[in-house]
Amino acid sequence: MSTHTVVLIPGDGIGPEVSDATRHVLEAAGAPVQFDVQLAGESALNQTGETLPQQTIDAIAMHGVALKGPCTTPVGKGFSSVNVALRKRLDLYAAVRPVRSLPGVETRYKDVDLVIVRENTEGLYSGIENVVTEGVIVSMKVATLRACERISRWAFDYAKKRGRTRVTVFHKANIMKLTDGMMLDVARRVASEYPGVAVDDMIIDAACMKMVQDPGNFEVVLCENLYGDIISDLCAGLVGGLGVVPGANIGEKAAVFEAVHGSAPTIAGKGVANPLALIMSGVMMLNHLAETRNDETCVRAAARIKNAYDAAMRAGEKTADLGGELGTMDFAEVIAKRIKA
Ligand code: NAI
């Protein structure tokens, strides 16, 4: 059995806590991975003077896969987001966020099972902001044909592979006729190459209403960067909150798996954060390793972890954000015990 070396970035705030918990669960499941621990975020700044050291980028580029805790970005002047920088530098153009109702997690909805595919490299995240004159500032929304095409193709490929029947494009092409207009046109053109997958679209504001009315109507949601960011948190709210939504940032040469949530500074260091979203991201990572490196042991480890957390949720073994009483590490231990039982 071969062991895959994976970069582990503990991150900031609750990051180190949820990373330790995830590591514990992966080990209990016999996941064939070993970690190359690297720094990013505030912790990196404190230790190396940089928020995103070149060594971290190089390590991910070398190993091709990383599991990442959240990194803090101070609001306003001074720092650009480490997360955005990482995605751009490694060209991780597809953010993939599966959102599903969990057994035992009571919410208003029972049948959510959708996947958000978010363009991860441009849009309003271009970082191009200019002061035109005093009191007048522009922020540039960038859309390129190349990025629209590759994210559309990624979404339809994904839908086809996973047996999903419809991709819905969220946009505001009625107002941003050129940028969002191009994204919509390209998505429709790409869709014509996938006869088994239907395409439809919704204006983002109406889509938000429809999502909270009946999220069961959506299968794969395709959108540009900012809409994807906002919709991700909205969707987290449909299934129990940020503690239960995993994610992956995927490019041609590397993939970084991370929860949707941030570093949650107000609960950091208290041992109460829910590690499930990062554990789920770890499961996505194992399935990615299985697919790209043809390793069945990863599939088995992923299934063991998923079965264990589904069973734990059903039994009411939860952290405080889901109405339970377990701390971060207690929850990880519960999962580890279920895996080994
Ligand atoms: P956040 O996701 O950290 O927190 C939002 C709310 O959800 C807070 O009430 C928090 O306590 C709660 N929460 C989040 N994760 C939780 C978990 N695992 N268990 C229990 N409760 C949880 O978002 P916020 O406060 O906007 O951002 C804080 C920092 O994180 C900022 O510096 C932001 O830039 C950064 N961030 C980093 C991300 C990343 O590394 N990918 C993603 C989002 C934000």
Side-chain angles (χ1 to χ4, degrees):
M1 187 182 80
S2 61
T3 301
H4 310 281
T5 303
V6 162
V7 173
L8 178 71
I9 300 172
D12 304 317
I14 60 171
E17 297 163 62
V18 294
S19 300
D20 280 352
T22 302
R23 207 171 166 158
H24 185 54
V25 168
L26 288 166
E27 275 162 17
V33 291
Q34 63 185 18
F35 292 107
D36 173 4
V37 178
Q38 297 289 342
L39 295 170
E42 263 184 341
S43 40
L45 183 68
N46 295 338
Q47 290 183 48
T48 69
E50 290 175 277
T51 52
L52 187 56
Q54 185 60 39
Q55 186 182 314
T56 300
I57 297 282
D58 291 345
I60 302 173
M62 180 164 75
H63 299 302
V65 175
L67 185 64
K68 173 183 165 296
C71 294
T72 299
T73 302
V75 175
K77 291 182 185 142
F79 295 94
S80 55
S81 164
V82 171
N83 307 305
V84 175
L86 191 67
R87 293 164 196 168
K88 283 189 180 167
R89 293 214 16 216
L90 292 162
D91 203 18
L92 307 171
Y93 65 90
V96 190
R97 292 160 169 192
V99 183
R100 80 174 168 105
S101 302
L102 285 170
V105 178
E106 286 301 312
T107 69
R108 289 188 174 83
Y109 311 96
K110 288 199 172 56
D111 56 353
V112 184
D113 182 13
L114 61 89
V115 180
I116 298 166
V117 178
R118 163 188 176 189
E119 201 294 317
N120 225 4
T121 59
E122 52 182 37
L124 280 166
Y125 289 66
S126 65
I128 307 170
E129 289 194 312
N130 291 310
V131 179
V132 178
T133 181
E134 206 189 323
V136 182
I137 299 168
V138 286
S139 187
M140 196 89 78
K141 174 158 171 163
V142 175
T144 62
L145 185 59
R146 174 173 174 263
C148 291
E149 254 175 23
R150 66 181 182 174
I151 194 65
S152 297
R153 202 163 295 287
W154 203 95
F156 282 93
D157 271 341
Y158 178 90
K160 188 176 163 191
K161 259 194 277 175
R162 306 291 167 119
R164 302 274 184 162
T165 62
R166 187 159 46 98
V167 173
T168 306
V169 187
F170 285 6
H171 62 89
K172 191 83 184 171
N174 53 329
I175 304 297
M176 280 161 270
K177 292 176 192 288
L178 295 181
T179 47
D180 283 18
M182 177 164 69
M183 175 77 173
L184 183 56
D185 284 349
V186 168
R188 285 177 175 150
R189 176 162 53 73
V190 169
S192 67
E193 297 167 31
Y194 295 80
V197 185
V199 64
D200 62 3
D201 68 276
M202 273 181 206
I203 293 176
I204 182 75
D205 39 343
C208 289
M209 180 199 66
K210 295 245 193 244
M211 273 211 148
V212 295
Q213 277 183 330
D214 189 0
N217 268 331
F218 296 89
E219 287 190 59
V220 176
V221 170
L222 167 62
C223 43
E224 60 85 85
N225 213 337
L226 182 63
Y227 308 150
D229 186 18
I230 296 169
I231 287 289
S232 297
D233 278 36
L234 184 152
C235 287
L238 304 175
V239 295
L242 285 165
V244 299
V245 182
N249 302 293
I250 298 184
E252 299 302 335
K253 296 194 180 131
V256 175
F257 295 81
E258 64 177 336
V260 169
H261 66 72
S263 55
T266 55
I267 56 167
K270 296 183 178 162
V272 297
N274 188 354
L276 185 52
L278 193 63
I279 293 170
M280 289 168 145
S281 306
V283 167
M284 289 177 76
M285 178 186 81
L286 290 173
N287 286 325
H288 172 84
L289 286 169
E291 228 177 279
T292 53
R293 303 188 188 175
N294 210 7
D295 183 350
E296 276 298 306
T297 54
C298 290
V299 182
R300 287 195 289 274
R304 277 196 289 272
I305 298 171
K306 182 173 179 296
N307 291 340
Y309 66 64
D310 275 352
M313 291 291 113
R314 249 184 243 113
E317 295 161 351
K318 303 175 201 168
T319 46
D321 57 313
L322 299 178
E325 284 166 5
L326 296 175
T328 309
M329 228 28 209
D330 303 327
F331 178 76
E333 188 50 30
V334 158
I335 306 290
K337 281 207 174 114
R338 282 189 174 274
I339 289 168
K340 288 179 182 162

